[in-house]
């Protein structure tokens, strides 16, 4: 969608000279306009909103859909989910798709980011049997978007692995990468003529760490081992899909393929050298784990990850490192395998060095070498992990700019949770603060960001937090039979931003 205007591949980034000229021009324009009354506008930029299949669709066993790991987990482990809720019905977007598109039209957004449910398209996980009703559903959504000139931004995998593949070990099994490629081929064949912006994966850091190293689905809790295996398969799968698109579809379909990575900004707790180093290691273990193999010049895992995990594994008497190794061919295949970076950002942490001795049990939290906290006086949201720290967004984007030669970025998620209710001034404040930080990152610092996505269009199933944390621009009344959507104040704010591409100078409701 973004890169299509002027095909951008990893090798086609803006040059350093162009960057400098760009920043200089932005500064001159700003001084000319006078900082105070300057209107903050975004040029050649698109605004959108996002959802994900399991979180909104419902219809978990309807019209031929297969079971996903979240269906299984919410049914078998209700104790792990707030209030024992499930995504069985969620916001029922499967049946209310016309209404959701009406909301998008009301917002005036230029794109809609949604995900496709793998088990809805391939109920058994394998591509030998395609579910026609699944294909029909997403075609209907694409038709509706097309009628209203709203571009689709499509995530192939947003955490809902077919349960059949979990039976084989899920993402810890290297063979799942081949099945993902077959699934992706079905998507390109069926939807590729109309979808020009693809994301292979959403937040592998969250689903590998939370799902294989923690207690989100499938809930294995094998931190420091299974999470690394998961990431290894995911990185290979991503690279393989990108190369397959190059070989089989790119010429005809002229789209772009990226990946969405999440990055909370790790700020050193103090200015001490040790804490600064700890924060940098934290960055490499969180974003760098996935971004270094794809976006760096050298490829492969960040050297500091390799060094630390090899060393700690040895001291824990493992015969080999817990961090798997890519072959030289795999390093080359994965390196450069993205037309753009999808970037999810919500919050900031303070990081200090962890001085504990090496524990007997492997754990990602120890490997990362730092301890994270947040400041009590940072404004809160309705999620314990999410504090409002707009300056962290600007720092995070700049770190990416410097580390990976200023790749084209689409912010694929940013948002905040509130309690139920439609008078969500806190959400407006959050969005305004983060958009100002984004504006500075682009127009003062020269970060190449092409679009912004608010998470989320509507309230939805927030994983193990159930329906207790609401991120929507529209409130969903889960108790009503037709899951009534009601506009929040923030919807009007986003509509204004999306339509004018500028931040309202004074916002009165
Ligand atoms: C990121 C995830 O992609 C999404 O599924 C989740 O709901 C939001 N963050 C909010 O936590």
């Amino acid at each position: 969608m973004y890169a299509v205007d002027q095909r951008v591949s990893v090798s086609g980034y803006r040059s350093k000279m162009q960057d400098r000229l760009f920043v200089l021009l932005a500064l001159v324009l700003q001084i000319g306009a006078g900082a105070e009354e300057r209107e903050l506008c975004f040029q050649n930029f698109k605004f959108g909103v996002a959802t994900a299949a399991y979180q909104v669709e419902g219809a978990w066993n309807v019209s031929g859909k297969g079971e996903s790991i979240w269906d299984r987990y919410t049914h078998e482990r209700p104790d792990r989910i707030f209030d024992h809720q499930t995504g069985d019905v969620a916001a029922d977007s499967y049946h209310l798709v016309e209404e959701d598109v009406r909301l998008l039209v009301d917002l005036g957004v230029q794109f809609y980011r949604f995900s496709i449910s793998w088990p809805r398209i391939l109920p058994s996980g394998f591509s030998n049997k395609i579910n026609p009703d699944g294909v029909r559903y997403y075609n209907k959504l694409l038709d509706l978007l097309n009628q209203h000139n709203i571009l689709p931004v499509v995530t192939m995998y947003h955490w809902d692995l077919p349960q059949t593949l979990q039976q084989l070990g899920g993402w810890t099994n290297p063979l799942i990468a081949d099945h993902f490629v077959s699934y992706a081929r079905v998507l390109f064949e069926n939807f590729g003529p109309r979808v020009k912006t693809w994301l292979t994966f959403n937040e592998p850091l969250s689903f590998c760490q939370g799902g294989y190293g923690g207690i989100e689905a499938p809930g294995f809790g094998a931190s420091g081992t299974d999470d690394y295996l998961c990431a290894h398969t995911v990185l290979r799968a991503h690279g393989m899909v990108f190369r397959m698109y190059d070989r089989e579809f790119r010429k005809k379909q002229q789209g772009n393929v990226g990946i969405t990575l999440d990055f909370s900004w790790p700020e050193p707790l103090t200015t001490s050298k040790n804490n600064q180093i700890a924060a940098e290691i934290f960055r490499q273990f969180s974003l760098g784990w996935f971004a270094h193999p794809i976006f760096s010049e050298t490829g492969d895992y960040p050297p500091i990850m390799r060094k630390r995990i090899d060393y700690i594994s040895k001291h824990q008497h493992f015969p080999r490192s817990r961090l798997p190794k890519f072959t030289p061919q795999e390093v080359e295949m994965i390196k450069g395998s993205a037309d753009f970076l999808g970037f999810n950002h919500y919050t900031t942490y303070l990081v200090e060095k962890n001085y504990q001795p090496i524990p007997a049990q492997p754990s990602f939290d120890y490997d990362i070498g730092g301890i994270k906290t947040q400041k009590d006086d940072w404004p809160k949201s309705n999620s314990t992990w999410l504090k409002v720290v707009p300056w962290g967004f600007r720092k995070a984007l700049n770190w990416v700019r410097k580390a990976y030669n200023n790749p084209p970025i689409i912010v694929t998620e940013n948002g905040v949770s509130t309690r139920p209710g439609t008078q969500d001034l806190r959400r407006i404040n959050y969005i305004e603060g983060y958009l100002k930080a984004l504006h500075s990152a682009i127009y003062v610092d020269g970060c190449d960001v092409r679009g912004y996505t608010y998470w989320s269009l509507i309230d939805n199933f927030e994983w193990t937090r159930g329906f207790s944390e609401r991120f929507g621009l529209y409130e969903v009344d889960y108790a009503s039979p037709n899951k009534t959507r009601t506009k929040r104040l923030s919807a009007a704010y986003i509509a204004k931003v999306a339509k004018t591409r500028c931040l309202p100078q004074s916002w009165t409701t």
Side-chain angles (χ1 to χ4, degrees):
M1 172 187 53
Y2 298 87
V4 270
D5 305 344
Q6 179 203 355
R7 272 251 336 110
V8 180
S9 65
V10 171
S11 56
Y13 294 172
R14 277 202 312 238
S15 73
K16 286 224 160 58
M17 184 54 94
Q18 281 174 308
D19 272 351
R20 278 189 208 117
L21 282 173
F22 181 72
V23 172
L24 201 69
L25 188 67
L27 282 172
V28 168
L29 287 174
Q30 272 183 27
I31 294 162
E36 267 83 50
E37 80 257 17
R38 176 170 50 106
E39 198 183 19
L40 299 181
C41 296
F42 294 80
Q43 286 90 31
N44 300 321
F45 197 84
K46 293 184 172 66
F47 285 93
V49 290
T51 60
Y54 184 74
Q55 296 181 269
V56 296
E57 282 179 9
W60 79 280
N61 59 355
V62 167
S63 301
K65 178 181 166 291
E67 189 186 14
S68 80
I69 55 174
W70 274 94
D71 295 321
R72 177 66 64 96
Y73 200 58
T74 53
H75 297 154
E76 279 192 350
R77 295 303 308 261
D79 55 304
R80 294 243 174 115
I81 318 286
F82 185 85
D83 267 357
H84 301 181
Q85 287 145 339
T86 73
D88 289 2
V89 182
D92 206 16
S93 290
Y94 187 73
H95 296 108
L96 298 174
V97 60
E98 280 100 347
E99 185 166 351
D100 286 349
V101 174
R102 267 201 299 279
L103 304 182
L104 294 167
V105 173
D106 185 34
L107 289 174
V109 287
Q110 287 85 52
F111 67 91
Y112 179 42
R113 174 179 178 230
F114 62 93
S115 80
I116 293 184
S117 157
W118 185 344
R120 196 180 291 292
I121 296 290
L122 306 177
S124 71
F126 302 112
S127 62
N128 58 330
K129 207 162 164 268
I130 300 174
N131 174 24
D133 278 347
V135 175
R136 241 193 308 277
Y137 170 68
Y138 295 109
N139 267 332
K140 182 171 168 187
L141 173 53
L142 289 172
D143 285 344
L144 289 165
L145 295 176
N146 192 30
Q147 276 165 28
H148 296 285
N149 284 323
I150 299 170
L151 295 165
V153 173
V154 180
T155 314
M156 298 176 175
Y157 183 82
H158 201 120
W159 218 341
D160 41 0
L161 186 73
Q163 180 61 31
T164 45
L165 301 182
Q166 189 51 49
Q167 266 32 331
L168 306 175
W171 291 108
T172 62
N173 179 345
L175 292 178
I176 302 302
D178 297 314
H179 300 304
F180 184 70
V181 173
S182 304
Y183 161 59
R185 184 176 284 109
V186 171
L187 299 188
F188 291 144
E189 278 166 353
N190 282 275
F191 309 118
R194 292 197 287 170
V195 175
K196 301 302 163 200
T197 309
W198 292 98
L199 295 153
T200 51
F201 290 97
N202 179 70
E203 298 199 352
L205 174 68
S206 299
F207 75 78
C208 287
Q209 231 198 319
Y212 292 88
I215 54 155
E216 310 260 352
F220 282 1
S223 178
T225 52
D226 291 18
D227 37 12
Y228 295 136
L229 297 178
C230 166
H232 203 69
T233 311
V234 165
L235 281 162
R236 285 179 49 255
H238 165 81
M240 286 156 70
V241 166
F242 186 85
R243 301 300 165 202
M244 186 255 290
Y245 191 75
D246 273 351
R247 279 193 312 273
E248 300 175 31
F249 297 96
R250 189 180 290 282
K251 210 162 155 223
K252 239 193 5 230
Q253 299 190 348
Q254 301 273 309
N256 294 281
V257 179
I259 183 168
T260 281
L261 304 178
D262 47 316
F263 192 29
S264 300
W265 174 247
E267 177 76 5
L269 177 70
T270 65
T271 53
S272 80
K273 189 92 195 140
N274 279 348
N275 286 345
Q276 288 194 35
I277 294 171
E280 180 59 18
I281 295 175
F282 218 91
R283 291 166 203 144
Q284 295 293 349
F285 265 75
S286 47
L287 186 73
W289 185 4
F290 298 92
H292 197 277
I294 300 172
F295 294 96
S296 74
E297 263 167 36
T298 48
D300 209 342
Y301 291 118
I304 189 69
M305 269 189 98
R306 167 61 57 212
K307 197 168 150 197
R308 280 187 67 83
I309 302 169
D310 287 2
Y311 177 83
I312 299 168
S313 303
K314 205 165 161 192
H315 280 259
Q316 290 168 331
H317 309 295
F318 283 90
R320 62 187 65 82
S321 177
R322 289 182 276 103
L323 184 67
K325 289 196 170 71
F326 294 118
T327 64
Q329 292 78 10
E330 285 173 336
V331 170
E332 285 309 308
M333 184 266 292
I334 297 167
K335 194 170 68 180
S337 62
D339 296 310
F340 66 95
L341 168 65
F343 193 73
N344 287 2
H345 177 87
Y346 288 85
T347 197
T348 285
Y349 292 107
L350 296 172
V351 173
E352 63 187 307
K353 183 177 160 78
N354 182 359
Y355 289 97
Q356 299 296 312
I358 295 176
Q361 278 298 316
S363 99
F364 177 84
D365 284 347
Y366 184 81
D367 292 344
I368 204 169
I371 297 169
K372 67 175 190 190
T373 50
Q374 286 179 313
K375 258 200 180 154
D376 283 342
D377 59 2
W378 286 346
K380 295 182 180 44
S381 70
N382 203 32
S383 309
T384 50
W385 56 273
L386 205 176
K387 299 260 162 41
V388 186
V389 194
W391 54 260
F393 191 20
R394 181 173 176 186
K395 287 199 175 190
L397 287 165
N398 273 291
W399 190 85
V400 173
R401 174 174 65 79
K402 290 182 201 143
Y404 307 120
N405 193 22
N406 207 10
I409 291 179
I410 302 172
V411 174
T412 40
E413 281 182 38
N414 173 248
V416 72
S417 60
T418 55
R419 295 205 188 93
T422 54
Q423 306 296 299
D424 58 343
L425 289 171
R426 276 165 172 261
R427 179 168 284 107
I428 294 177
N429 283 341
Y430 178 97
I431 299 171
E432 187 183 48
Y434 277 70
L435 282 178
K436 281 184 177 165
L438 175 62
H439 193 273
S440 302
I442 300 173
Y443 297 103
V444 180
D445 309 331
C447 297
D448 187 7
V449 184
R450 316 275 178 97
Y452 172 90
T453 317
Y454 180 78
W455 179 274
S456 174
L457 170 64
I458 50 178
D459 287 341
N460 54 62
F461 183 82
E462 179 62 8
W463 311 115
T464 48
R465 299 301 304 156
F467 298 110
S468 63
E469 297 176 13
R470 294 174 178 249
F471 282 86
L473 298 173
Y474 292 82
E475 173 151 294
V476 174
D477 178 2
Y478 295 106
S480 69
N482 47 1
K483 309 291 169 209
T484 310
R485 282 105 161 104
T486 308
K487 192 171 183 167
R488 292 200 166 110
L489 294 179
S490 56
Y493 183 86
I494 283 284
K496 185 103 194 209
V497 173
K499 282 169 196 157
T500 60
R501 316 279 216 276
C502 297
L503 298 191
Q505 274 176 308
S506 63
W507 181 255
T508 42
T509 51

